[in-house]
Amino acid sequence: MELIRDLGDPKRRRAAGEALTALGPAAVPPLLREMLDESSPVDWFHIKLLIHAIGPAAYDDVLAVLATAPDDETRRRASAAFVGLGVVERYTEALSHRSADVRESAASGIQSACSVMFGRTPSYRGDMGPVVEALVPLMADADPGVAQRVRWVLPMLGDVVLEPLRRVRREGPGALRAEALAVLAAAGGEEALAERDRAAVARLIRIKAIDDRAESLEGCSTSWLAVPSGDRTGIADVLGLSGERLVTFALGHSVVLHDSDDWPDCRRVYVTPEVDGWTLVMGPWCNPVDAERAGEVLDCLVELSRRYGLAQAYYFGEHGGGSGWALAEKGAVVRRFDASTWGDEQLPELGGQLPEEAALHAEWAESEAGADDVWEDVAPYMAPDLALRLGSVSPFALGPQTRVRGHGVVALTALAAQQGVPGTGAYSI
């Protein structure tokens, strides 16, 4: 206990940690007691690392605590200690444990040791066959948390999961077939699916597209072009799009969310049907205030406005990313304003402030919440409302009331020819 108390002293922490690690399994029970004591002055994170350093010898004690955890905080700390032990064979055994907390943590431990995502080299060098075979049935585990965790983990394990999942698609059991299709798509994309499954997915999309209804296309980071026309073919021609594939609103939205995530992908876009007289083109490729895309987006707006009289582009980061917009009319840039918050420098302003911008600012300032806000405070939140004020359509405002004509598509941008076609995944239909 004196060594454990020394963990709270920065001057003695290192020596105490080395001594406790040297004690091996004998140190685990007191370390666990201290780690689970919320009143302890010792940072539980440091204790967790010592348990990881002791390694497999700590497994049984940590498992016992996790399996009987009486509350969420105990469960969280015990799971964190359990997941980092790196004992894949023991985790595989634990996937059949009666405790859902143990099963979910065991799957997380396998993820930690075996994931090959983002080019990662796994620490486990054993046979992955039994690991995958033990995980696959849990895609339909009675506990939703376990099932979801397993569906996340399997695609992270690489190509080793493909054939077992294909076997489920061919042979069953039936309760796993739907989950196997989604995990296959997440693990290997459309290319991993059997021809029969690809045909079934295409047929489902065609059926759902017949009476597809508009839905909000809201996202954490959303970029879009807006053109006052339903001429999808002409818009695609101006933008140099190719490889169109029919999609529903849900599928187009799912692709946009995927491509707009932490690593924006500009190789494809979602082109909506005509919505209230406008066509929206969505994806990071459309961002008018991204330093790498801004010039080409302006060129696209100019060309679109020559053909259709008007074209607009917007960016909105819902969780503090700010806003940006650009407009062109009859072949000339009218306005660009960068109120994004993620870049080192904002792009130069083009054109003068629009009356609609000033009106939105005034409305904000007149409200109690925005009484003291200057233009710089308001502009980062403007893009969706400004689109509506300018007579356009905001993807955030689409819904059952929206008039829809035609069908939407996902299409490739010119960057796909230069950088390769983007991989597919598991998307909503």
Side-chain angles (χ1 to χ4, degrees):
M1 291 307 299
E2 183 178 348
L3 287 174
I4 291 175
R5 285 194 298 271
D6 285 348
L7 293 174
D9 184 342
K11 295 181 179 179
R12 300 182 180 181
R13 180 180 301 147
R14 181 173 179 177
E18 291 174 350
L20 286 163
T21 303
L23 287 172
V28 175
L31 282 171
L32 283 170
R33 286 193 294 272
E34 195 72 18
M35 186 184 75
L36 300 177
D37 181 0
E38 295 184 47
S39 66
S40 171
V42 180
D43 187 340
W44 75 270
F45 183 82
H46 293 309
I47 298 178
K48 178 194 73 171
L49 295 181
L50 290 178
I51 292 172
H52 291 171
I54 292 171
Y59 179 87
D60 290 330
D61 287 324
V62 179
L63 172 65
V65 171
L66 177 60
T68 58
D71 54 66
D72 288 344
E73 183 59 22
T74 299
R75 188 176 303 112
R76 183 174 76 91
R77 296 186 182 194
S79 178
F82 186 75
V83 165
L85 294 175
V87 284
V88 174
E89 290 87 354
R90 302 296 303 275
Y91 291 147
T92 303
E93 296 170 5
L95 292 173
S96 60
H97 198 281
R98 65 181 182 279
S99 165
D101 295 324
V102 172
R103 296 196 302 277
E104 183 174 356
S105 296
S108 295
I110 291 169
Q111 173 186 333
S112 177
C114 303
S115 174
V116 297
M117 291 290 283
F118 311 115
R120 183 177 176 273
T121 301
S123 59
Y124 181 63
R125 291 290 186 269
D127 182 5
M128 286 297 297
V131 181
V132 174
E133 293 294 343
L135 283 167
V136 165
L138 299 189
M139 294 188 299
D141 192 272
D143 184 89
V146 175
Q148 183 60 71
R149 173 61 60 183
V150 170
R151 292 195 291 265
W152 283 335
V153 170
L154 281 167
M156 298 182 182
L157 304 183
D159 292 347
V160 68
V161 307
L162 298 182
E163 187 49 41
L165 292 169
R166 291 189 187 112
R167 187 169 62 249
V168 170
R169 291 295 298 166
R170 292 191 305 267
E171 303 171 9
L176 294 177
R177 279 200 170 106
E179 286 77 11
L181 181 64
V183 175
L184 261 175
E190 185 179 29
E191 299 75 16
L193 305 183
E195 182 60 35
R196 180 179 178 180
D197 283 337
R198 289 199 293 270
V201 170
R203 183 168 60 250
L204 177 61
I205 293 170
R206 290 196 300 271
I207 292 170
K208 285 184 169 289
I210 293 172
D211 58 355
D212 196 24
R213 301 292 182 88
E215 61 181 56
S216 174
L217 303 175
E218 182 175 355
C220 293
S221 179
T222 308
S223 301
W224 72 97
L225 305 180
V227 185
S229 171
D231 180 18
R232 194 186 72 211
T233 300
I235 293 169
D237 181 60
V238 171
L239 298 178
L241 305 180
S242 63
E244 294 185 352
R245 298 186 64 177
L246 177 70
V247 294
T248 60
F249 275 96
L251 179 50
H253 188 205
S254 187
V255 170
V256 169
L257 292 177
H258 177 275
D259 291 352
S260 303
D261 208 349
D262 295 335
W263 291 273
D265 193 335
C266 294
R267 294 175 292 173
R268 62 184 170 186
V269 290
Y270 167 42
V271 185
T272 70
E274 182 181 333
V275 285
D276 288 340
W278 291 70
T279 296
L280 305 182
V281 183
M282 303 186 63
W285 185 81
C286 305
N287 190 335
V289 291
D290 177 82
E292 295 184 2
R293 294 291 312 140
E296 186 174 354
V297 171
L298 279 184
D299 292 342
C300 290
L301 292 178
V302 168
E303 291 304 313
L304 288 167
S305 71
R306 283 198 178 106
R307 181 178 293 197
Y308 302 105
L310 174 68
Q312 305 170 355
Y314 300 90
Y315 162 77
F316 183 60
E318 192 167 41
H319 298 299
S323 283
W325 52 88
L327 290 78
E329 293 183 8
K330 298 179 180 179
V333 174
V334 173
R335 176 67 162 152
R336 181 180 68 193
F337 190 79
D338 183 359
S340 61
T341 59
W342 36 258
D344 294 332
E345 295 182 6
Q346 292 181 327
L347 295 174
E349 180 177 355
L350 302 177
Q353 186 181 60
L354 301 173
E356 292 83 359
E357 296 173 22
L360 275 177
H361 180 208
E363 287 182 10
W364 188 290
E366 287 172 3
S367 70
E368 183 177 348
D372 298 324
D373 288 338
V374 297
W375 166 252
E376 288 75 13
D377 296 325
V378 177
Y381 302 93
M382 271 193 178
D385 291 335
L386 183 61
L388 297 175
R389 185 63 64 96
L390 289 167
S392 181
V393 173
S394 166
F396 293 69
L398 299 181
Q401 79 289 346
T402 303
R403 291 179 288 108
V404 178
R405 188 168 69 89
H407 301 297
V409 298
V410 164
L412 301 176
T413 70
L415 290 175
Q418 303 169 17
Q419 303 172 3
V421 175
T424 53
Y427 309 125
S428 300
I429 297 176

